[in-house]
Amino acid sequence: MAKEAAKLDLACTYLKNNQTISAYNLFMALAENEIKKENLRAGILLLLASECKVKQGKERNNELLQAAKFYLKVAKQEKLTTAKYAYLCAAKCFLRIGQYDDAMNAFEKAKKYLPTIVEEKKPIIIVDDSPSITLKLNSYLQKTWLQRHSHL
């Protein structure tokens, strides 16, 4: 892990110093390792490699398409925590290379992953020596709860 971090740091230094060919080669090598592990970092490394191509004045579509396909592969594994984001990343990559239908398909798939809202009900205890205040607070809390949950 430390070795990969050092290579990433070196690749970023190359990119910063406009040594784009060296940066590209390192980013691609790192991306290939992460693809084998099916790690989301692979997509980011492919995007960084594509930026190296842009700085060289070259076409970056191959790297973006590779990133999009990788993100789709990750999303199809149905890991709920990452699927939505992987589909959205794929959509953005497809958009950058002008594949609008593929971008729309990926975006539509991302929309089916809604966040899971977990509600935990905890009791509220109202303590007051005046019955009218406790009744009023109880009524207010019940009304507020009903307003918040009326859409369900």
Side-chain angles (χ1 to χ4, degrees):
M1 187 71 164
K3 188 177 180 181
E4 288 178 353
K7 285 183 181 179
L8 178 60
D9 189 45
L10 181 61
C12 290
T13 302
Y14 284 150
L15 184 59
K16 182 179 172 185
N17 293 328
N18 290 321
Q19 296 173 319
T20 54
I21 294 171
S22 298
Y24 173 83
N25 291 333
L26 266 176
F27 284 133
M28 288 302 291
L30 289 166
E32 288 171 16
N33 288 336
E34 296 299 325
I35 288 170
K36 290 175 189 172
K37 299 176 197 173
E38 295 184 354
N39 191 322
L40 282 174
R41 284 181 281 208
I44 296 167
L45 292 165
L46 289 166
L47 293 174
L48 287 167
S50 77
E51 290 304 312
C52 293
K53 285 278 188 107
V54 170
K55 284 193 167 206
Q56 294 173 28
K58 296 180 180 177
E59 194 65 39
R60 65 180 176 175
N61 289 0
N62 290 338
E63 291 76 16
L64 289 174
L65 183 60
Q66 189 178 355
K69 288 180 179 180
F70 172 75
Y71 281 127
L72 285 178
K73 180 182 174 186
V74 169
K76 289 176 183 173
Q77 292 174 352
E78 298 292 328
K79 292 179 183 173
L80 293 178
T81 55
T82 57
K84 178 179 182 173
Y85 303 107
Y87 277 124
L88 290 173
C89 290
K92 189 165 185 174
C93 291
F94 283 130
L95 274 176
R96 284 186 170 182
I97 57 178
Q99 293 186 2
Y100 303 112
D101 291 338
D102 291 330
M104 185 55 100
N105 288 337
F107 181 72
E108 289 298 323
K109 287 177 182 176
K111 287 187 347 185
K112 78 176 185 177
Y113 291 93
L114 297 174
T116 311
I117 298 173
V118 178
E119 267 189 51
E120 187 177 333
K121 294 181 181 179
K122 293 184 178 181
I124 298 174
I125 299 173
I126 301 170
V127 179
D128 198 292
D129 59 351
S130 170
S132 63
I133 290 178
T134 56
L135 286 172
K136 196 170 204 171
L137 282 172
N138 188 26
S139 173
Y140 171 77
L141 291 171
Q142 285 180 348
K143 193 185 307 180
T144 304
W145 187 89
L146 287 173
Q147 288 173 347
R148 293 179 95 199
H149 295 85
S150 64
H151 66 281
L152 300 176

